[in-house]
Amino acid sequence: MNKDLPVAFTYPSQYFNIRDTLECGQIFRFKRLDDGAYAVYSQDKYAELNYNAEGLVEVRTADCNYFWNFFDCDVDYGEKVKRIAALSPIMDKAATCGKGIRILNQDLTETIFSFIISANNNIKRIQLIIERMCAKLGNETPYGYAFPKTEAMAQAPVELYTQIGAGYRDRYLSETANALINFDLSVFDAMDSEQTRKLLLNFKGIGPKVADCIMLFGLKRGDVFPVDTWLKKVYHEYFEQGHSERDISKYFCELFGADAGLCQQYLFYWRRLQQ
């Protein structure tokens, strides 16, 4: 851990598990350091996280307010866990297992491009593609490269995305970057989740699952439920109602309401740990 970075704040660890929060699939720009601490990158900002001698989460960064908000530190997750655990025995197990997960407040533009890259991909490869893209198009900072500006991504040739390993997503990254140049992302603020999803689906490389991930992790929409292979297993094993696969997300959204996104994270993390 970089001792030259100031300790910006500490936080109780009961409902803030560093590993669980960073390794649950909602963020890709992080790495585990040799001493067990974690480094986290967001836009052009950087933080390191570890547990101090008192067992508190210790966040070292020059951007205190940014990362306080990034880690959702104003929100009482204890109350959320209690409410969700009371829903059913399965949700009690899932919420107890994942109670240290916090939904991060990520930059929307970074979330859009990161989850376009995530489609039909694994985490290691997603991280590598994003790292290469930052090195090619992002501004250099004392701790690495910042996430590229949309303008830089739009100006880059499609071949650059091919070269960094994006595969068929190369043109999606290029076309969506160009589409976002003159697009006001604040329009989502006045839309409900159904309207937001419909608009997101107009961008290249954004399908239903990616749209839901963008809404949950980039727009703080708690009433969405991204469905992947793991959540399909959860549905068929514990919630089976005979829905078609395309309707599983809608079923969970209706079941969990405003807590759907956090329930999804708990179920996803709990089911993966059962392997």
Side-chain angles (χ1 to χ4, degrees), residues 24-26 72 77 80 83-84 87 91 94 98 101-104 193 197 212-217 220-227 231 249 251-269:
C24 67
Q26 63 175 317
D72 214 22
Y77 276 73
K80 290 177 178 284
R83 182 171 66 246
I84 291 170
L87 294 174
M91 293 314 301
I101 296 173
R102 306 184 75 83
I103 303 293
L104 303 176
S193 293
R197 182 183 293 106
D212 282 349
C213 287
I214 292 168
M215 292 167 66
L216 178 57
F217 305 130
K220 203 63 176 180
R221 300 296 176 88
D223 59 344
V224 302
F225 194 99
V227 171
L231 273 305
S249 176
Y251 163 77
F252 278 123
C253 288
E254 292 175 351
L255 182 64
F256 296 130
D259 286 325
L262 189 55
C263 288
Q264 188 266 3
Q265 286 290 279
Y266 291 158
L267 287 166
F268 173 79
Y269 200 62

Side-chain angles (χ1 to χ4, degrees), residues 72-105:
D72 214 22
C73 291
D74 282 327
V75 176
D76 179 4
Y77 276 73
E79 181 59 35
K80 290 177 178 284
V81 169
K82 182 179 179 181
R83 182 171 66 246
I84 291 170
L87 294 174
S88 71
I90 292 300
M91 293 314 301
D92 185 18
K93 291 179 181 179
T96 300
C97 175
K99 68 180 182 179
I101 296 173
R102 306 184 75 83
I103 303 293
L104 303 176
N105 290 309

Side-chain angles (χ1 to χ4, degrees), residues 121-139:
N121 219 340
N122 63 68
I123 289 180
K124 292 293 185 184
R125 191 160 179 267
I126 297 164
Q127 290 180 314
L128 183 59
I129 294 169
I130 293 174
E131 183 179 348
R132 289 170 176 168
M133 187 171 74
C134 292
K136 291 282 188 181
L137 300 173
N139 294 324

Side-chain angles (χ1 to χ4, degrees), residues 59-73:
V59 180
R60 290 178 175 267
T61 180
D63 297 287
C64 177
N65 291 339
Y66 182 87
F67 281 103
W68 178 269
N69 177 67
F70 185 83
F71 291 112
D72 214 22
C73 291

